[in-house]
Amino acid sequence: MILLKDGVKYGPYSYTSEEELADMVVEHYREIFGKNSLYFGPQTLKTRTGEARSDGLVVSLDEDKWYILEVELAKHPLSEHIIPQITKFSIAYDETETRKKIIGTLYTAIKQTQKIEDLHKILTDLIETQPTIAIIIDQKTPELNIICKKLPFPTQTIEFKTYTRENIGIGVHVHEFQPIFEKEIVVQPPKPPEKIPQKLRQVLDVAES
């Protein structure tokens, strides 16, 4: 597939690593999760079965939802990457102390940058609801669909593709993805054309003949 803009070609870009893709996702997280969303970097939680690590947490203030972020490359063994991490996170989430730690971490970070009334209660109510797993990947695969059905939380998957300008590379690029949250854009219908008085129409007809 290529993109063509003003006669200039853009071709598919292959990410060098999950970290590179993750950096691009973080750069554009508000376009993905909504303007009023907050991103928090990779989180590591201790569980009875070891440590659970995510690629970050996202709080959507528009949706009153929170997301566990997982960034993956399709060429990697997805079941070995996603299932163990999310399962461990689920075990950790079931513990009251873990939820308190998540609330405390988010509260401290948000309080430093924003003034939100009843912030602690808002976060408590939010974290007491199950998170959604947001899996952002360079290409959806049949394996991913199967994995998502086995995960303990509701899941949304997003393809995040990048195209680079021919003969230039990543220095000039465009991204393609479907936002998770996108406010509806209300398009006003065009105004009906004004009726031209019959006498003026006759004059115009004569002028055009």
Side-chain angles (χ1 to χ4, degrees), residues 65-81:
K65 291 175 64 174
W66 65 294
Y67 297 87
I68 302 171
L69 181 61
E70 285 292 321
V71 179
E72 301 289 343
L73 295 180
K75 65 183 180 182
H76 290 169
L78 299 181
S79 59
E80 296 177 17
H81 282 214

Side-chain angles (χ1 to χ4, degrees), residues 21 29 35 78 117 145 151 166 192 195 202:
L21 174 55
Y29 79 87
K35 183 178 179 181
L78 299 181
E117 189 175 351
N145 293 334
L151 296 177
E166 187 178 38
K195 289 186 177 180
Q202 292 173 354

Side-chain angles (χ1 to χ4, degrees), residues 18-186:
E18 286 182 2
E19 289 73 20
E20 182 185 32
L21 174 55
D23 287 343
M24 294 182 183
V25 169
V26 171
E27 181 182 357
H28 296 285
Y29 79 87
R30 284 195 171 94
E31 286 85 7
I32 299 171
F33 294 95
K35 183 178 179 181
N36 292 319
S37 60
L38 303 170
Y39 166 78
F40 303 88
Q43 306 290 316
T44 300
L45 301 174
K46 292 183 178 180
T47 74
R48 295 189 298 272
T49 59
E51 290 187 343
R53 187 182 184 281
S54 73
D55 292 319
L57 302 179
V58 177
V59 173
S60 172
L61 301 177
D62 288 323
E63 295 183 291
D64 291 329
K65 291 175 64 174
W66 65 294
Y67 297 87
I68 302 171
L69 181 61
E70 285 292 321
V71 179
E72 301 289 343
L73 295 180
K75 65 183 180 182
H76 290 169
L78 299 181
S79 59
E80 296 177 17
H81 282 214
I82 298 174
I83 293 177
Q85 289 300 329
I86 298 302
T87 300
K88 289 178 183 178
F89 197 101
S90 177
I91 293 171
Y93 175 77
D94 286 340
E95 299 177 4
T96 302
E97 284 303 312
T98 298
R99 296 198 295 275
K100 287 182 179 179
K101 289 179 182 178
I102 295 174
I103 293 167
T105 299
L106 300 185
Y107 178 83
T108 300
I110 295 174
K111 190 177 180 181
Q112 292 174 353
T113 59
Q114 298 191 34
K115 292 183 179 179
I116 300 177
E117 189 175 351
D118 296 328
L119 176 60
H120 195 275
K121 182 180 185 307
I122 291 172
L123 290 175
T124 300
D125 292 343
L126 182 67
I127 301 304
E128 287 299 324
T129 64
Q130 279 196 336
T132 297
I133 305 165
I135 300 176
I136 301 183
I137 193 167
D138 57 330
Q139 183 178 358
K140 293 183 181 180
T141 66
E143 181 190 8
L144 181 61
N145 293 334
I146 295 172
I147 291 171
C148 289
K149 294 177 182 178
K150 303 296 182 181
L151 296 177
F153 299 124
T155 305
Q156 288 184 263
T157 59
I158 306 97
E159 274 190 339
F160 192 101
K161 295 181 178 294
T162 298
Y163 300 85
T164 58
R165 183 169 174 172
E166 187 178 38
N167 299 323
I168 292 183
I170 194 63
V172 180
H173 62 268
V174 294
H175 298 304
E176 177 190 8
F177 57 86
Q178 178 63 45
I180 283 182
F181 179 77
E182 190 172 28
K183 284 189 175 180
E184 182 181 358
I185 299 175
V186 179

